[in-house]
């Protein structure tokens, strides 16, 4: 068991906002970025690596001049329903959030809005941006390309990224339905988690450098990741590059992350206004009916219930908000070290050791 400590959500939020301001982000951007990392910390397994411990990584990249915290998000081309933006090597999470805001505004005018962002950087969790649209009464789709960690089907070297997708739709069931996943079976963050826990990994996660399947996460760290559904994951990742970097005039395939000073990542954000098709309450009613159809099916042996996409994550959010956000002890210590380095006055308030299940 990796040692973890619970901290209060509010103190963590205040700490992250002040931390990003200390790194040079304007107030609004610091709030967007902090909100996104808290969102991911609450929803996901810590092994996914999308949470608050990324503050250290951004401190390093900004200090080295590898990302511009004050970059201007430029509109290259725009129509009533479409836009192409250039992030100028700024914070990818902020660029994607502002792009989705624009996509939502276009959807409210045209029924649909799609915005592609090029020359960006890591944009965090796809669910963050998809849920942004769901909260505005839209169906949101968010995807991005990334560094070439996934082997093409039949290959043993990386050619495309994990290229994660997020799709979210609003409901009146207390949480939006959300599909959020990378197109690899798992990422290297989870492999590192398994290695630190002393646990083997499934054989369909990654290859050794010589192209062999392995259940040893340490042996696979230098190899390529495997796609979901065998060749299907590779095909989806390939098309994600087409739908982001290729059509957007940005990087694709082997290009993203090749130059650490210009990651050349591209994103696509889409919002579909539900009210163009039907009143939102009618959509909610139909979603509840659909959910009942799915959840009422007979169970397989060993299962106690059927969960909707995003339902497990919604329960995590509720539980962590009430009992405290579990952080790895090493991550909490590093955040406190950053407080001294950056002059952060906000204090992360610990409530005790974490003893639950993730």
């Amino acid at each position: 068991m990796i040692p973890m400590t619970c901290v209060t959500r509010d103190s963590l939020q205040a700490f992250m906002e002040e931390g990003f301001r200390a790194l040079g982000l304007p107030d609004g951007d610091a709030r967007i970025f902090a909100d996104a990392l808290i969102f991911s910390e609450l929803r996901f397994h810590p092994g996914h690596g999308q949470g608050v411990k990324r503050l250290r990584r951004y401190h390093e990249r900004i200090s080295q001049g590898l990302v511009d915290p004050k970059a201007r998000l430029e509109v290259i081309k725009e129509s009533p329903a479409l836009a192409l933006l250039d992030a100028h090597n700024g914070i990818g999470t902020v660029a994607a959030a502002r792009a989705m805001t624009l996509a939502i505004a276009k959807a409210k005018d045209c029924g649909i809005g799609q915005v592609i962002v090029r020359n960006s950087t890591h944009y965090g969790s796809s669910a963050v941006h998809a849920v942004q649209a769901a909260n505005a009464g839209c169906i949101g789709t968010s995807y991005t390309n990334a560094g070439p960690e996934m082997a093409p089907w039949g290959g043993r070297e990386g050619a495309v990224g994990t290229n994660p997708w997020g799709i979210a739709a609003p409901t009146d069931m207390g949480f939006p339905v959300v599909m959020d996943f990378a197109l690899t079976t798992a990422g290297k963050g989870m492999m590192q988690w398994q290695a630190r826990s002393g646990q083997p990994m499934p054989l369909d996660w990654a290859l050794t450098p010589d192209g062999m399947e392995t259940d040893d996460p340490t042996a696979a760290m230098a190899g390529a990741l495997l796609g979901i559904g065998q060749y299907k994951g590779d095909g989806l990742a390939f098309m994600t590059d087409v739908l982001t970097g290729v059509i957007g005039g940005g990087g694709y395939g082997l290009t993203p992350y090749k130059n650490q000073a210009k990651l050349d990542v591209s994103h696509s954000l889409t919002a579909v206004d539900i009210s163009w098709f039907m009143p939102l309450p009618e959509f909610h009613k139909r979603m509840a009916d659909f959910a009942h159809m799915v959840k009422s099916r007979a169970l397989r042996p060993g299962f106690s219930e059927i969960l909707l996409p995003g339902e497990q994550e919604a329960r995590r959010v509720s539980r962590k908000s009430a009992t405290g956000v579990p952080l790895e002890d090493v991550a909490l210590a590093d955040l406190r070290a950053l407080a001294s380095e950056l002059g952060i006055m906000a204090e992360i308030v610990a409530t005790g050791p974490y003893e639950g299940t993730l």
Side-chain angles (χ1 to χ4, degrees):
M1 181 71 176
I2 293 176
M4 305 185 77
T5 298
C6 287
V7 305
T8 65
R9 176 179 179 172
D10 289 346
S11 70
L12 190 59
Q13 177 85 33
F15 180 93
M16 294 302 293
E17 286 190 29
E18 186 178 347
F20 284 126
R21 289 195 299 270
L23 293 183
L25 276 71
D27 286 351
D29 290 357
R31 189 171 305 109
I32 288 171
F33 206 1
D35 285 346
L37 293 193
I38 295 292
F39 176 102
S40 296
E41 194 69 59
L42 291 170
R43 289 182 65 86
F44 300 121
H45 188 289
H48 290 154
Q50 297 294 346
V52 297
K53 67 181 181 182
R54 296 193 70 86
L55 181 62
R56 166 68 69 180
R57 179 63 174 149
Y58 275 94
H59 174 38
E60 293 170 349
R61 289 187 57 77
I62 290 171
S63 298
Q64 295 167 17
L66 300 177
V67 61
D68 182 359
K70 293 184 170 68
R72 180 173 64 94
L73 187 60
E74 180 184 5
V75 177
I76 302 298
K77 188 175 183 180
E78 188 173 17
S79 76
L82 299 169
L84 174 63
L85 309 182
D86 191 311
H88 290 289
N89 208 46
I91 304 295
T93 299
V94 174
R98 296 199 180 282
M100 182 57 92
T101 297
L102 180 57
I104 292 167
K106 290 180 177 296
K108 296 300 181 180
D109 287 338
C110 301
I112 187 170
Q114 182 171 16
V115 179
I116 293 177
V117 183
R118 69 187 186 198
N119 194 17
S120 189
T121 57
H122 183 269
Y123 90 156
S125 161
S126 294
V128 170
H129 314 298
V131 169
Q132 183 183 343
N135 290 339
C138 297
I139 294 175
T141 304
S142 169
Y143 42 91
T144 183
N145 62 8
E149 293 184 295
M150 186 199 301
W153 184 244
R156 62 181 175 90
E157 294 180 306
V160 290
T162 57
N163 293 8
W165 280 64
I167 303 175
T171 75
D172 61 358
M173 297 182 290
F175 62 93
V177 290
V178 186
M179 182 201 77
D180 179 291
F181 61 86
L183 299 178
T184 50
T185 309
K188 291 192 173 178
M190 283 304 300
M191 289 164 58
Q192 291 168 343
W193 182 273
Q194 293 295 104
R196 291 174 58 206
S197 301
Q199 300 292 322
M201 68 183 196
L203 288 172
D204 63 350
W205 278 20
L207 302 172
T208 59
D210 58 0
M212 302 302 293
E213 293 182 349
T214 180
D215 65 358
D216 181 351
T218 302
M221 282 301 296
L225 301 177
L226 291 171
I228 58 172
Q230 298 183 331
Y231 61 89
K232 296 177 182 179
D234 165 44
L236 284 170
F238 183 95
M239 295 308 299
T240 301
D241 265 299
V242 173
L243 294 166
T244 54
V246 175
I247 194 172
Y252 50 85
L254 302 182
T255 305
Y257 281 74
K258 185 176 182 179
N259 179 359
Q260 287 299 304
K262 180 179 168 57
L263 295 186
D264 211 0
V265 176
S266 300
H267 326 303
S268 178
L269 298 304
T270 304
V272 177
D273 184 25
I274 292 166
S275 65
W276 191 93
F277 294 90
M278 65 184 66
L280 189 58
E282 181 181 348
F283 179 82
H284 286 162
K285 182 179 178 181
R286 293 171 65 84
M287 287 294 293
D289 182 52
F290 182 28
H292 175 72
M293 291 178 185
V294 172
K295 292 176 75 68
S296 64
R297 295 296 85 191
L299 295 171
R300 288 169 54 186
F303 286 79
S304 60
E305 65 175 321
I306 294 169
L307 297 175
L308 301 175
E311 189 170 7
Q312 176 176 262
E313 290 81 2
R315 292 179 183 179
R316 280 197 187 118
V317 172
S318 178
R319 183 174 66 250
K320 291 180 181 181
S321 297
T323 64
V325 183
L327 298 180
E328 297 175 58
D329 285 358
V330 292
L332 178 57
D334 188 55
L335 289 175
R336 287 174 168 162
L338 273 172
S340 297
E341 295 171 32
L342 298 174
I344 300 172
M345 300 303 295
E347 181 181 352
I348 301 175
V349 179
T351 60
Y354 180 71
E355 299 176 346
T357 58
L358 298 170

